[in-house]
């Protein structure tokens, strides 16, 4: 399959990849037809999706079965008046039907808007209004349904409400019953014209670490942009069973549960659960013989707190991480513990970086030696640079903003713009450059090292201090489970470094001046002494967005109010 879309499919080195990565772009590319239906024809009995939940239920779907089911779903959605360019919001948690509906909407040219089940009425009204949502397909969850119903009167564009529930359960008033209706429609007839490459296929609302979320619009080539994610970063092949820990409401779901994995012909493994538990997750990896695993560093932090010798992890071949910066201490501990549990070499986590607006822009690839804590090197499909505030390029070792130089041709995978917000689009993307707003530095080997968001960088006594470097130092102390570094205004230094810290259970009764001094001395030993936190606050939890990102802006706001 990969050879249909790349001129060269195997690479031996960074130089080889950078020189020879080149996409073959068909006219009117459509992932559902050109990849998934093609697999259904070539490998009909190949296992595409292995879904299980915390109740022990299982669904195993072949490529042929997914084609049949997505065709049927497409016909059903057409019968409800949903078609080309109609925005449809999905709030389905990890229900099996999410994968079927995603393909069905692609087949009819509708615009899919995946959303989290944690949205409030305000969030739903905002999304419905800003995107002119025409239909909502949701899981029959009491909270989700109540918020959607509360938003109805303020959502005039929404014409269809569809609930997916288990057979025999009552359907909320005013909702279509997916289970009772979707198989009763005529056979699917593919529309005469579905899409161009430039049409909008997918929209995500950013998680909004500051201000209201923006609508990130992606075209049909966004799916192709994730070929490198699955085939080269995740290092997948037709025998892989890949698990990415992500809810379907977030962009990471299509990074790790959809596009790239199926370009590779791998099997997507899904564990549908209500509450995360490291032991339960490890048991799933052991039971189903998962070969490839991807999760944010937070998940790995919980995993390494378990006794990994209790689990048979011998099936694991490859592990990746993204979503937040990786602390080297977590890398080292995971490598050490997987070596102990498997009786062979430990597994090295391969880090990657990207945004809702992009696919993977920086990554650690199979032909590279990872440097713990580094995001890796630029993905060859993007022209990545680090720039100073004046727009000039940074030297090695110099901190700057990560940007994508676009020029005359938009890279495969880069977003179209912020939907219905030309001003925000121009702020981020102008003069042939897309500004990520993220800071990093590059070492002499070309590896990039994350510093933080531009707004999060602390200027103290003439020094520019990235929060991540201090967080990395703090995270190597056994007392610290999570932390956030922010700046606090200071009359003498301009700003001073503050650490907001979540302690491990066994350390909570030690919270006090002695532990504060111990943490401060620890940071001085782990990194340059001037970066140590002069203020340390212990909290039970950190403020986060509904996607789990730390809201440093909220910490700064509370400190300002104090």
């Amino acid at each position: 399959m990969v050879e249909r879309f790349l001129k060269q499919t195997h690479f031996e080195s960074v130089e080889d990849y950078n020189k020879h990565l080149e996409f073959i772009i068909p006219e009117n590319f459509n992932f559902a037809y050109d990849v998934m239906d093609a697999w259904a024809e070539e490998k009909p009995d190949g296992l595409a999706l292995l879904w299980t939940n915390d109740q022990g239920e299982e669904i195993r779907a072949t490529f042929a079965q997914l084609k049949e089911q997505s065709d049927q779903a497409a016909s059903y959605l057409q019968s409800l008046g949903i078609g080309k360019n109609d925005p449809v919001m999905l709030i389905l948690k990890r229900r099996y039907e999410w994968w079927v509906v995603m393909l069905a909407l692609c087949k009819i040219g509708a615009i899919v808007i995946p959303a989290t089940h944690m949205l409030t009425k305000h969030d739903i009204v905002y999304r419905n209004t800003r995107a002119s949502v025409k239909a909502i397909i949701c899981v029959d969850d009491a909270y989700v349904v109540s918020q959607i119903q509360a938003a109805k009167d303020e959502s005039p564009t929404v014409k269809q409400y569809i609930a997916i529930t288990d057979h025999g359960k009552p359907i909320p008033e005013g909702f279509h019953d997916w289970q009772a209706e979707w198989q009763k429609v005529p056979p699917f007839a593919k529309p005469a014209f579905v899409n161009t490459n430039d049409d909008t296929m997918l929209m995500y609302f950013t998680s909004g670490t500051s201000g209201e979320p923006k609508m990130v619009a992606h075209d049909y080539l966004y799916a192709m942009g994730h070929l490198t994610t699955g085939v080269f970063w995740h290092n997948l092949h037709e025998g892989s069973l890949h698990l990415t820990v992500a809810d379907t409401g977030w962009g990471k779901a299509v990074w790790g549960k959809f596009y790239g994995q199926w370009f590779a012909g791998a099997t997507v493994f899904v564990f549908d659960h209500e509450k995360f538990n490291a032991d339960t997750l490890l048991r799933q990896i052991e039971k189903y013989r998962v070969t490839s695993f991807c999760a944010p560093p937070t998940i790995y932090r919980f995993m390494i707190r378990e006794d990994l010798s209790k689990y048979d992890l011998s099936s694991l071949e490859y592990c990746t991480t993204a979503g937040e910066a990786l602390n080297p201490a977590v890398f080292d501990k995971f490598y050490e513990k997987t070596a102990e549990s498997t009786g062979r070499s430990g597994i090295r986590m391969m880090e990657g970086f990207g945004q809702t607006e992009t696919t993977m822009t920086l990554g650690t690839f199979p032909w590279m030696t990872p440097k713990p804590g580094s995001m890796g090197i630029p993905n060859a499909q993007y022209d990545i640079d680090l720039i100073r505030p004046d727009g000039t390029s940074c030297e090695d070792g110099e901190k700057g903003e990560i940007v994508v130089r676009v020029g005359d041709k938009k890279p495969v995978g880069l977003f179209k713009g912020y939907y219905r917000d030309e001003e925000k689009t121009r702020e981020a993307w102008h003069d042939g450059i897309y500004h990520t707003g993220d800071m990093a530095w590059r070492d002499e080997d070309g590896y990039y090292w994350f510093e933080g968001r531009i707004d999060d960088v602390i200027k103290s006594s003439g020094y520019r201090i990235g929060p991540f470097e201090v967080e990395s130092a703090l995270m190597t102390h056994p007392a610290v489970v999570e932390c956030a570094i922010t700046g606090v205004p200071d009359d003498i230094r301009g700003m001073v470094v503050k650490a907001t810290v979540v302690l491990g259970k066994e350390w909570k009764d030690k919270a006090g001046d002695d532990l504060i001094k111990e943490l401060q001395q620890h940071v001085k030993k782990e990194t340059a002494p001037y970066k140590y936190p002069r203020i340390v606050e212990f909290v039970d939890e950190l403020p986060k967005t509904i996607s789990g990102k730390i809201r440093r802006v909220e910490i700064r706001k509370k400190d300002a109010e104090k």
Side-chain angles (χ1 to χ4, degrees), residues 463-495:
Y463 295 106
R464 289 169 62 85
I465 303 170
F468 177 63
E469 54 193 336
V470 187
E471 290 168 2
S472 293
L474 263 177
M475 286 297 299
T476 61
H477 192 284
V480 181
V481 174
E482 278 192 308
C483 63
I485 297 299
T486 52
V488 174
D490 181 80
D491 290 339
I492 298 174
R493 296 177 175 82
M495 299 190 89

Side-chain angles (χ1 to χ4, degrees), residues 8-266:
Q8 180 171 319
T9 60
H10 297 283
F11 303 94
E12 300 295 332
S13 65
V14 170
E15 293 74 23
D16 187 20
Y17 183 68
N18 287 340
K19 186 176 180 180
H20 295 116
L21 180 72
E22 186 176 351
F23 287 93
I24 301 169
I25 301 175
E27 278 191 70
N28 307 332
F29 172 76
N30 184 294
F31 178 81
Y33 295 117
D34 297 332
V35 177
M36 294 305 290
D37 283 6
W39 275 125
E41 185 174 337
E42 291 181 19
K43 197 171 76 166
D45 296 328
L47 186 61
L49 184 65
L50 199 173
W51 178 97
T52 186
N53 64 11
D54 48 13
Q55 306 302 309
E57 298 174 292
E58 278 186 21
I59 299 175
R60 295 172 182 261
T62 65
F63 286 105
Q65 288 169 329
L66 274 183
K67 170 179 166 44
E68 180 183 351
Q69 292 168 11
S70 60
D71 281 351
Q72 192 71 20
S75 180
Y76 173 56
L77 296 171
Q78 286 177 323
S79 75
L80 297 178
I82 299 168
K84 182 172 168 57
N85 294 330
D86 287 335
V88 179
M89 185 155 64
L90 305 186
I91 310 177
L92 289 172
K93 294 188 176 180
R94 293 181 180 87
R95 289 279 309 205
Y96 168 79
E97 289 85 358
W98 184 81
W99 284 263
V100 175
V101 175
M102 284 284 290
L103 291 171
L105 290 170
C106 191
K107 285 184 172 183
I108 62 177
I111 301 170
V112 63
I113 305 174
T116 173
H117 60 280
M118 294 182 281
L119 298 180
T120 64
K121 172 201 168 183
H122 167 80
D123 298 325
I124 293 169
V125 169
Y126 176 79
R127 285 157 174 73
N128 289 344
T129 304
R130 292 283 290 123
S132 299
V133 170
K134 184 173 182 179
I136 297 177
I137 305 174
C138 72
V139 62
D140 185 15
D141 171 270
Y143 174 79
V144 170
V145 170
S146 69
Q147 299 308 303
I148 292 172
Q149 289 177 323
K152 273 188 174 183
D153 289 344
E154 299 174 53
S155 304
T157 65
V158 183
K159 305 303 180 186
Q160 301 288 1
Y161 294 88
I162 305 152
I164 297 179
T165 187
D166 297 322
H167 288 289
K169 286 190 176 180
I171 292 296
E173 184 178 351
F175 283 73
H176 285 278
D177 183 345
W178 172 280
Q179 297 288 12
E181 299 173 5
W182 80 291
Q183 291 184 318
K184 295 180 180 179
V185 293
F188 175 56
K190 179 182 174 181
F193 175 74
V194 180
N195 64 276
T196 67
N197 289 339
D198 296 327
D199 285 339
T200 301
M201 174 189 71
L202 173 75
M203 289 201 298
Y204 275 110
F205 282 80
T206 61
S207 55
T209 53
S210 61
E212 290 283 15
K214 301 184 288 288
M215 290 185 292
V216 178
H218 283 290
D219 59 28
Y220 278 78
L221 292 182
Y222 172 73
M224 186 180 291
H226 275 302
L227 185 155
T228 55
T229 307
V231 176
F232 301 123
W233 181 49
H234 286 155
N235 196 25
L236 298 174
H237 49 80
E238 290 189 33
S240 299
L241 178 62
H242 179 78
L243 166 59
T244 281
V245 178
D247 185 85
T248 60
W250 307 120
K252 191 63 171 60
V254 296
W255 277 55
K257 295 175 179 286
F258 205 76
Y259 297 124
Q261 295 65 46
W262 282 334
F263 268 109

Side-chain angles (χ1 to χ4, degrees), residues 408-438:
D408 297 329
K409 187 177 180 182
K410 183 175 79 67
V412 173
L414 185 63
F415 76 135
K416 295 176 63 175
Y418 297 116
Y419 188 59
R420 293 178 174 174
D421 199 332
E422 292 183 6
E423 182 179 349
K424 283 281 194 296
T425 302
R426 282 195 299 270
E427 287 176 6
W429 187 348
H430 55 84
D431 301 316
I433 295 175
Y434 166 62
H435 294 258
T436 68
D438 286 308

Side-chain angles (χ1 to χ4, degrees), residues 365-385:
F365 297 97
W367 47 82
M368 296 169 54
T369 299
K371 294 187 178 185
S374 167
M375 298 180 286
I377 65 168
N379 183 357
Q381 74 194 64
Y382 294 96
D383 182 3
I384 301 294
D385 197 7

Side-chain angles (χ1 to χ4, degrees), residues 6 101 243 350 466 491 501 546:
L6 288 183
V101 175
L243 166 59
M350 310 295 266
D491 290 339
V501 176
I546 52 179

